[in-house]
């Protein structure tokens, strides 16, 4: 994240106030986790335990990393069965899904779409994840911006879905 993007200009006093990049990482409606965050000349990176490398810390990545930890620590999804930013083809275009979780047989069981906290979860976001799931055919869908979370069970036999209040744990699928 560029420092210039984090600048807040106050017209009333004509002074520049700089926010540190860390100030832009808002608290989420997910448990806090002890992430390894590094500041490399004004650009924050976070160690991703799934991809086993540092990734640039954007607001969407902040949400993705929290949700991954939520899946692993609270919902007991095995780390080895989680894939981040998987590519797929949809109508001839390459798309990227945020989080895919597999079962031991290699079947996709959960598709998660993450948005930055500033992005409202609206019909457009639900349509996006539904299009992605036409390819993946996961029985569970989650949509989150870190502040709001929605979970659906998908029934492909009768082409229906139903919202559920809480994401099932790995052992409950």
């Amino acid at each position: 994240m560029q420092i210039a993007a984090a600048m807040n200009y106050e017209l009333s006093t004509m002074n520049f106030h700089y926010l540190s990049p860390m100030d832009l990482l808002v608290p989420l409606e997910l448990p806090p986790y002890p992430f390894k965050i590094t500041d490399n000349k004004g650009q924050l990176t976070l160690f991703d335990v799934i991809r086993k490398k540092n990734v640039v810390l954007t607001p969407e990545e902040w949400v993705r990393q929290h949700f991954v930890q939520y899946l692993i620590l609270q919902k007991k999804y095995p780390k080895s069965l989680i894939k981040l930013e998987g590519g797929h083809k949809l109508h001839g275009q390459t798309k990227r899904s945020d989080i895919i979780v597999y079962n031991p047989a290699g079947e996709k069981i959960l598709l998660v779409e993450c948005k930055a906290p500033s992005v409202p979860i609206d019909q457009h976001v639900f349509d996006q994840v539904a299009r992605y799931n036409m390819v993946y055919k996961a029985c569970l869908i989650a949509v989150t911006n870190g502040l709001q979370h929605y979970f659906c069970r998908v029934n492909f036999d009768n082409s229906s879905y139903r919202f559920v209040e809480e994401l099932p744990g790995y052992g409950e699928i």
Side-chain angles (χ1 to χ4, degrees):
M1 180 174 302
Q2 300 295 323
I3 294 296
M7 188 172 55
N8 180 16
Y9 183 71
E10 288 186 5
L11 290 174
S12 61
T13 61
M14 299 299 282
N15 290 325
F16 286 100
H17 292 275
Y18 294 93
L19 299 174
S20 86
M22 203 63 169
D23 291 332
L24 299 177
L25 303 177
V26 299
L28 302 176
E29 291 297 322
L30 289 163
Y33 300 102
F35 295 112
K36 181 182 173 191
I37 299 174
T38 306
D39 186 341
N40 184 11
K41 299 178 185 173
Q43 183 173 55
L44 294 181
T45 61
L46 178 146
F47 185 75
D48 180 338
V49 298
I50 301 297
R51 294 175 275 189
K52 296 183 178 28
K53 66 179 186 176
N54 282 327
V55 295
V56 174
L57 189 50
T58 63
E60 182 177 319
E61 191 66 45
W62 184 239
V63 172
R64 182 174 19 254
Q65 292 299 322
H66 272 80
F67 207 83
V68 164
Q69 293 300 313
Y70 170 74
L71 290 174
I72 295 167
L73 298 174
Q74 271 67 43
K75 295 299 181 173
K76 306 302 182 197
Y77 285 78
K79 193 168 30 172
S80 62
L81 298 177
I82 298 173
K83 182 177 181 181
L84 302 185
E85 292 199 317
H88 65 276
K89 291 275 189 188
L90 182 62
H91 306 300
Q93 295 182 345
T94 301
K95 303 289 183 181
R96 286 206 172 283
S97 53
D98 288 310
I99 303 170
I100 298 289
V101 180
Y102 297 84
N103 66 15
E107 300 165 325
K108 298 164 188 82
I109 57 171
L110 171 62
L111 169 62
V112 182
E113 180 61 28
C114 300
K115 297 296 183 189
S118 62
V119 176
I121 304 298
D122 59 14
Q123 189 62 50
H124 175 74
V125 175
F126 283 108
D127 291 346
Q128 176 187 3
V129 76
R131 283 190 306 273
Y132 288 4
N133 206 38
M134 289 173 17
V135 174
Y136 288 118
K137 302 210 180 305
C139 61
L140 288 169
I141 296 174
V143 177
T144 182
N145 64 5
L147 303 174
Q148 297 176 298
H149 322 286
Y150 297 95
F151 312 111
C152 295
R153 282 198 175 270
V154 180
N155 183 327
F156 290 99
D157 293 335
N158 64 12
S159 299
S160 67
Y161 65 91
R162 68 179 167 84
F163 285 92
V164 293
E165 260 188 62
E166 189 173 327
L167 183 67
Y170 185 73
E172 302 170 292
I173 297 176

